[in-house]
Amino acid sequence: MRFAVVQFPGSNCDQDCVHALRGLGQEARLVWHHETRLDPDEGVILPGGFSYGDYLRCGAIARFSPMMQSVKAAAERGQVVVGICNGFQILCEAGLLPGALTRNEGLHFRCEPSHLRVESPASRFTSGYGTGQMLRIPIAHGEGCYRAEPKVLEELEARQQILFRYCDAEGRVTAEANPNGSSHSIAGIRNQAGNVLGMMPHPERACEPEMGGLDGRGILLGAAGIGRSA
Amino acid sequence: MKAKEFALKLGLTEEEFDRIQNGLGREPNETELGMFSVMWSEHCSYKNTRKELRKFPTTGPAVLVKAGEENAGVVDAGDGLALAFKIESHNHPSAVEPFQGAATGVGGILRDIFTMGARPVAFMDSLRFGRPDAPGEAGKRTRSLIHGVVAGISHYGNCVGVPTVGGELVFDPAYEGNPLVNVFCLGTLRHDQIRRGAAKGVGNPVFYVGAKTGRDGLAGAAFASRDLTEESKADRPAVQVGDPFVGKLLFEACLELYARPDLVVGVQDMGAAGLTCSTCETASRGGSGIEIELRKVPQRETGMTPFETLLSESQERMLIIVRKGRERELKEIFARWGLDAAEIGTVTDTGRVVVMEGGKVVADLPARMLADDAPVYERAAMTPAKLAEKQKYDLGKILPAQPRVKEDLLKLARSPATGSRRWVWNQYDHMVGLRTVVRPGSDAAVLRVEKPGGGWVRVAMTLDGNGRWCAQDPREGSKALVAEACRNLACAGAVPLGLTDNLNYGNPHDPELFWQLREGVEGMAEACRAFDLPVTGGNVSLYNQSPSGPIHPTPVVGVVGKVDEGVKLAPAVFSTGGGEVVLLGTTASGGLGASLYLQEVHGVIAGKLAAVDLVSEKKLHAVTRMVLAQPGVRAVHDVGEGGILWALAEMTFGEGSAGGEFRVPCGKERPEEALFGEGAGRILVELDETSMPTVENLAKEGGVELTHLGRTGGKDLQVTVHGAEMIWPVAELRDGFEKSLPKALGP
Amino acid sequence: MKAVVTVTLKPSILDPQGEAVLHAVKGMGLQEVKSVRIGKHIELEIEGGDEKKLKAKLEEISRELLSNPVMENFHLDLRAGG
């Protein structure tokens, strides 16, 4: 599958995403945020980083980029959109996903491996895993605490839109295992239609043994429409 | 105000003023005096230390850009790949405003690297503070400094997307009033991508790119024609604020610019002394002149005088000389990245820096005079009167009659001096870029770097300093530092390629303190020659002292090396049990002189390091690299502060908390000396039993001693020395290790 | 009683946030905006206590805790009621 990785001023993980996707046999191109052309069969990746320095609020300025209009239209048409870390923040600011990402409860930036529990098998993004499977994928963020109104959280749970939750090494979802205080230990969610994924951990950093593990492959392959990861 | 009076106010000496006046053949004006005051300051000209710095070996087959030539040195890593790296300090600004001081330190070193044409790929930082667990106000202030500095480095480094992969964090009362913040950056480039900071080609346009100019950095500078009122004081910020977002845009735009063939003629960042420094240095290197018009300089304040514009230290600005006719290309690239790009002048052939405001000349100076002709001083050096007393060392008076090693190790494990620095590196994104192969926490960081023709090469790097060793014996201490850095690289299977140094010392006008610097430089130079290690550049930071006195003499070295092809990287910790552990290198412990053990457990700094055997050290590193290419090597870790006992303890802190049973060699010395002595030339290796014959052979052929220490297994650390056996549960040691730093720092 | 403390950057200090927002504001069509500076609005709810003593203490807190005197100014406003 072909992917467009959007570069905003301040994006840092754009090249990493391209590298990971190509390593998985997918085509990937970089698109500057001022461009507007997206092909109808392209998947979109909003990579991690510090778009606009995270100034004002993370993703608050990036959402007004010309490319975001095209991404919105693509999402509405059912094209796959994956927002990683800063990308997740941008999707929330743009209204493509509900809720918001706020400052980590501990107030510090945290870069470390995290354990994730796969919650729902029904999504293309988790089709490469079994429900309850535990993944080891790194996090690196200062504003990853997911918040939404109680009603919204209820709906996310009811509709199985929560795809990944933070857990401990034994797969238990506990307060101690939650690195940033996210409500319901939410690490990643999908939209109702199921074509848009937002997650704080970095799957592109878990696609090579030398980089610390392969657990991220399933998510990117899932985005590409490939079920069970190789 | 008369010119001479003003010159003195600016910090120039009477002799320097006369030298300027004679050199110009006329009286300099206030703006010109301002330019000299910054260019001839110690920070920019190294006038107090140049004679000493010349003692460093700076040449070698791998050196592509030598120390002193450009903003950073560059070494050849083979296969067409080059590495640019450098270390710099931001000590005093970090004491004033820790967050911004540290952040702008990171921003500054970043610019030094991409100025050379390199893509920055890693940071490391060396931080020194007073003890965070000191009582009362002192401890409170120290904790606040630590939080601020780490947050500042995190803020800038993470935002620009360059991973911080290593460094050190050291606590000692000597740094309480004067913290040290040294930041290192490494970048990669092809040989043909090296950029020089030279202004060449008469008529070529000179561009200013990046952030607008304000009054940053002028708080300390004297006022010229304005009265110093409370208002005007407020106008000049006491702290420079860095904008990492603009820093990131700037380096991406510059790298894109460099990729266009023949477009960029010369490039220089605006760091200390901003516009003044960048113009005269590029002109001097190019053997040319530069003419600029200040009205064209983008300014974010109104009413700035020429003095202010020329001396401003606003961050995130570059000076770029472009080939005439291709101005549009530069403007397009910078417009795309949302950055100011103003054509402010031209290259001339007069050899002079001519500054105009509204068409009127406000400064006209020979470029070389500003950039290169600062006086070189020979400072007096005197062996400290109290040196012998300081080095006095009566273990009988310091150590208890009966050794209490069991408690001693626990005390060491619970001290923030030895604790895990995870609290620090978890705040740094150390994985961005997908190049980090060995993350923080090991002996050396290792990155994988793309070779121009395809494939990867692994680059290892480490940052090392030791104020205590150098306080007790500046020469031997510096030698030991270089040896340790190279030993750390050997643990990653890497051959050292180049060294960058940050010399942190006190007042150079104090002969006893200057003696420390001279000794330190000579010790480092000797060690560098022994390791065939060129010094590629660095930084000098003087006047580091507070009301309580000067800091320990603290040279910090950053060493970069290339990992041998066949090497399989091994962790610095035991994984599971069943391995054999050997000591490669000397069994001599080196005694307890200047040791961390004496300082942490007995509260004294006494004695001095044993002499470093550089020849044996080099053999040890060569053998270690060969051993790492063998199958069956499970772990490797060098012995340093805390001696062989602490090194063994550290190896038990892996995921499995595997312990072991070991016998530590002991000469005619107290057990504490054998266990905690910090003598150089020792590396611990854990390996499969089946690999032992091969490793023994390699050691023998390489002229390196090998001593069997024991086996790994179980959950306890069991050590026998002089027949006495001691046991510690690994869990207890590890608990101390993991909690000591967070505990000392609070949230 | 309510204390409202407004913390702003000293005039000559660079405001990277403000710069980025200015750029975005212009991008949204408002070219007339020439500068943006961003500060903090802090509210403290207070019950009881002597107003004069409170004012002095609040000023100390504003200076030592709520603002960074190296880079910021503050303005304290004490209001009756809630």
PDB file of all heavy atoms in Angstrom, chain B residues 231-242:
ATOM      1  N   GLU B 231      15.298  51.767  33.809  1.00  0.00           N
ATOM      2  CA  GLU B 231      14.527  51.406  32.620  1.00  0.00           C
ATOM      3  C   GLU B 231      15.388  50.702  31.598  1.00  0.00           C
ATOM      4  O   GLU B 231      15.032  49.668  31.056  1.00  0.00           O
ATOM      5  CB  GLU B 231      13.958  52.687  31.993  1.00  0.00           C
ATOM      6  CG  GLU B 231      12.465  52.656  31.819  1.00  0.00           C
ATOM      7  CD  GLU B 231      11.951  54.018  31.403  1.00  0.00           C
ATOM      8  OE1 GLU B 231      12.397  54.514  30.348  1.00  0.00           O
ATOM      9  OE2 GLU B 231      11.139  54.565  32.149  1.00  0.00           O
ATOM     10  N   SER B 232      16.546  51.318  31.332  1.00  0.00           N
ATOM     11  CA  SER B 232      17.383  50.720  30.296  1.00  0.00           C
ATOM     12  C   SER B 232      17.925  49.381  30.754  1.00  0.00           C
ATOM     13  O   SER B 232      18.129  48.484  29.965  1.00  0.00           O
ATOM     14  CB  SER B 232      18.513  51.651  29.870  1.00  0.00           C
ATOM     15  OG  SER B 232      18.870  52.509  30.899  1.00  0.00           O
ATOM     16  N   LYS B 233      18.111  49.238  32.059  1.00  0.00           N
ATOM     17  CA  LYS B 233      18.548  47.940  32.582  1.00  0.00           C
ATOM     18  C   LYS B 233      17.512  46.883  32.249  1.00  0.00           C
ATOM     19  O   LYS B 233      17.819  45.773  31.854  1.00  0.00           O
ATOM     20  CB  LYS B 233      18.686  48.010  34.105  1.00  0.00           C
ATOM     21  CG  LYS B 233      20.100  47.895  34.612  1.00  0.00           C
ATOM     22  CD  LYS B 233      20.159  48.224  36.065  1.00  0.00           C
ATOM     23  CE  LYS B 233      21.050  47.273  36.843  1.00  0.00           C
ATOM     24  NZ  LYS B 233      21.115  47.642  38.249  1.00  0.00           N
ATOM     25  N   ALA B 234      16.243  47.280  32.437  1.00  0.00           N
ATOM     26  CA  ALA B 234      15.153  46.335  32.195  1.00  0.00           C
ATOM     27  C   ALA B 234      15.059  45.974  30.723  1.00  0.00           C
ATOM     28  O   ALA B 234      14.582  44.911  30.355  1.00  0.00           O
ATOM     29  CB  ALA B 234      13.842  46.928  32.673  1.00  0.00           C
ATOM     30  N   ASP B 235      15.512  46.877  29.870  1.00  0.00           N
ATOM     31  CA  ASP B 235      15.445  46.630  28.436  1.00  0.00           C
ATOM     32  C   ASP B 235      16.346  45.497  28.002  1.00  0.00           C
ATOM     33  O   ASP B 235      16.186  44.948  26.929  1.00  0.00           O
ATOM     34  CB  ASP B 235      15.893  47.886  27.662  1.00  0.00           C
ATOM     35  CG  ASP B 235      14.776  48.893  27.567  1.00  0.00           C
ATOM     36  OD1 ASP B 235      13.656  48.554  27.960  1.00  0.00           O
ATOM     37  OD2 ASP B 235      15.038  50.008  27.100  1.00  0.00           O
ATOM     38  N   ARG B 236      17.339  45.208  28.806  1.00  0.00           N
ATOM     39  CA  ARG B 236      18.313  44.210  28.364  1.00  0.00           C
ATOM     40  C   ARG B 236      18.104  42.931  29.155  1.00  0.00           C
ATOM     41  O   ARG B 236      18.353  42.885  30.339  1.00  0.00           O
ATOM     42  CB  ARG B 236      19.727  44.737  28.589  1.00  0.00           C
ATOM     43  CG  ARG B 236      20.021  45.851  27.627  1.00  0.00           C
ATOM     44  CD  ARG B 236      21.409  46.329  27.774  1.00  0.00           C
ATOM     45  NE  ARG B 236      21.812  47.170  26.677  1.00  0.00           N
ATOM     46  CZ  ARG B 236      23.038  47.650  26.545  1.00  0.00           C
ATOM     47  NH1 ARG B 236      23.937  47.346  27.443  1.00  0.00           N
ATOM     48  NH2 ARG B 236      23.353  48.413  25.535  1.00  0.00           N
ATOM     49  N   PRO B 237      17.644  41.909  28.476  1.00  0.00           N
ATOM     50  CA  PRO B 237      17.333  40.674  29.208  1.00  0.00           C
ATOM     51  C   PRO B 237      18.595  40.059  29.811  1.00  0.00           C
ATOM     52  O   PRO B 237      19.642  40.033  29.183  1.00  0.00           O
ATOM     53  CB  PRO B 237      16.758  39.742  28.143  1.00  0.00           C
ATOM     54  CG  PRO B 237      16.874  40.420  26.844  1.00  0.00           C
ATOM     55  CD  PRO B 237      17.431  41.777  27.042  1.00  0.00           C
ATOM     56  N   ALA B 238      18.470  39.579  31.042  1.00  0.00           N
ATOM     57  CA  ALA B 238      19.603  38.930  31.698  1.00  0.00           C
ATOM     58  C   ALA B 238      19.773  37.506  31.185  1.00  0.00           C
ATOM     59  O   ALA B 238      20.730  36.846  31.486  1.00  0.00           O
ATOM     60  CB  ALA B 238      19.393  38.910  33.198  1.00  0.00           C
ATOM     61  N   VAL B 239      18.811  37.037  30.430  1.00  0.00           N
ATOM     62  CA  VAL B 239      18.886  35.669  29.954  1.00  0.00           C
ATOM     63  C   VAL B 239      18.459  35.604  28.501  1.00  0.00           C
ATOM     64  O   VAL B 239      17.544  36.299  28.072  1.00  0.00           O
ATOM     65  CB  VAL B 239      18.007  34.759  30.843  1.00  0.00           C
ATOM     66  CG1 VAL B 239      16.569  35.273  30.889  1.00  0.00           C
ATOM     67  CG2 VAL B 239      17.998  33.347  30.335  1.00  0.00           C
ATOM     68  N   GLN B 240      19.162  34.773  27.727  1.00  0.00           N
ATOM     69  CA  GLN B 240      18.741  34.555  26.339  1.00  0.00           C
ATOM     70  C   GLN B 240      17.729  33.429  26.326  1.00  0.00           C
ATOM     71  O   GLN B 240      17.898  32.422  27.010  1.00  0.00           O
ATOM     72  CB  GLN B 240      19.930  34.127  25.478  1.00  0.00           C
ATOM     73  CG  GLN B 240      21.031  35.150  25.424  1.00  0.00           C
ATOM     74  CD  GLN B 240      22.369  34.507  25.608  1.00  0.00           C
ATOM     75  OE1 GLN B 240      22.537  33.337  25.322  1.00  0.00           O
ATOM     76  NE2 GLN B 240      23.319  35.251  26.106  1.00  0.00           N
ATOM     77  N   VAL B 241      16.679  33.608  25.571  1.00  0.00           N
ATOM     78  CA  VAL B 241      15.673  32.569  25.444  1.00  0.00           C
ATOM     79  C   VAL B 241      15.896  31.845  24.119  1.00  0.00           C
ATOM     80  O   VAL B 241      16.048  32.482  23.079  1.00  0.00           O
ATOM     81  CB  VAL B 241      14.250  33.179  25.480  1.00  0.00           C
ATOM     82  CG1 VAL B 241      13.210  32.134  25.125  1.00  0.00           C
ATOM     83  CG2 VAL B 241      13.976  33.751  26.856  1.00  0.00           C
ATOM     84  N   GLY B 242      15.948  30.528  24.178  1.00  0.00           N
ATOM     85  CA  GLY B 242      16.119  29.755  22.955  1.00  0.00           C
ATOM     86  C   GLY B 242      14.768  29.341  22.415  1.00  0.00           C
ATOM     87  O   GLY B 242      13.824  29.141  23.164  1.00  0.00           O
TER      88      GLY B 242
END
